Amino acid sequence: SLLIWDVFRGQVTDKVKKKLMDLNIEYVYVPANMTHFFQPLDLTVNGCAKQRMKKEFITYYSNAVKQQLDSGKQLDDIEVDFRISVLKPLHAHWLVDLYNFFTSTKGSDVISKGWRKSEIQ
């Protein structure tokens, strides 16, 4: 296995290095401020995930506003519910959908593209 990580001090310890060695995991450090060039997740996956999650939130927000406008509320009287008890189950659902996307053929292509762009073989 190969672990690609940045040089964050909290993970670059002798204890962590020994554990990786015990597990037969090779590691490569990406220089500071360079992960967007070399880390496969930064190259494709993270941006795609953020975009999909943002779209889910915008859909939630716009639907809440539309529903209230359709019921006759005035724009100044509209309130969107941001309580954690409301957003937490929605977010969990969005994460499951995100997982399902990345385990699909299309999602797998996004992941593979990150590896190709990083030129890590």
Side-chain angles (χ1 to χ4, degrees), residues 81-90:
D81 196 346
F82 294 122
R83 291 176 298 154
I84 194 76
S85 61
V86 172
L87 292 180
K88 197 172 189 178
L90 287 171

Side-chain angles (χ1 to χ4, degrees), residues 5-118:
W5 59 5
D6 58 23
V7 291
F8 172 64
R9 290 182 194 167
Q11 63 200 15
V12 184
T13 66
D14 290 336
K15 184 177 179 180
V16 171
K17 290 178 192 177
K18 181 178 180 339
K19 185 67 173 177
L20 291 172
M21 190 171 73
D22 291 346
L23 295 170
N24 199 30
I25 297 174
E26 305 266 342
Y27 56 90
V28 176
Y29 295 113
V30 175
N33 301 312
M34 300 296 281
T35 59
H36 62 286
F37 292 118
F38 301 114
Q39 202 163 29
L41 290 178
D42 283 359
L43 291 168
T44 57
V45 174
N46 293 346
C48 178
K50 288 177 186 178
Q51 184 180 38
R52 292 177 71 88
M53 294 299 279
K54 183 177 180 179
K55 181 181 175 193
E56 292 286 0
F57 178 78
I58 289 170
T59 299
Y60 163 73
Y61 187 86
S62 60
N63 285 342
V65 170
K66 182 182 182 323
Q67 184 178 33
Q68 292 177 59
L69 287 172
D70 290 348
S71 73
K73 271 196 174 181
Q74 296 298 312
L75 191 57
D76 290 341
D77 297 328
I78 292 176
E79 293 182 9
V80 178
D81 196 346
F82 294 122
R83 291 176 298 154
I84 194 76
S85 61
V86 172
L87 292 180
K88 197 172 189 178
L90 287 171
H91 190 249
H93 178 75
W94 300 340
L95 286 172
V96 169
D97 287 347
L98 186 62
Y99 170 81
N100 290 334
F101 170 75
F102 280 118
T103 57
S104 72
T105 302
K106 190 172 181 180
S108 180
D109 290 344
V110 171
I111 295 168
S112 296
K113 184 178 179 185
W115 285 97
R116 286 191 304 277
K117 285 178 83 171
S118 72

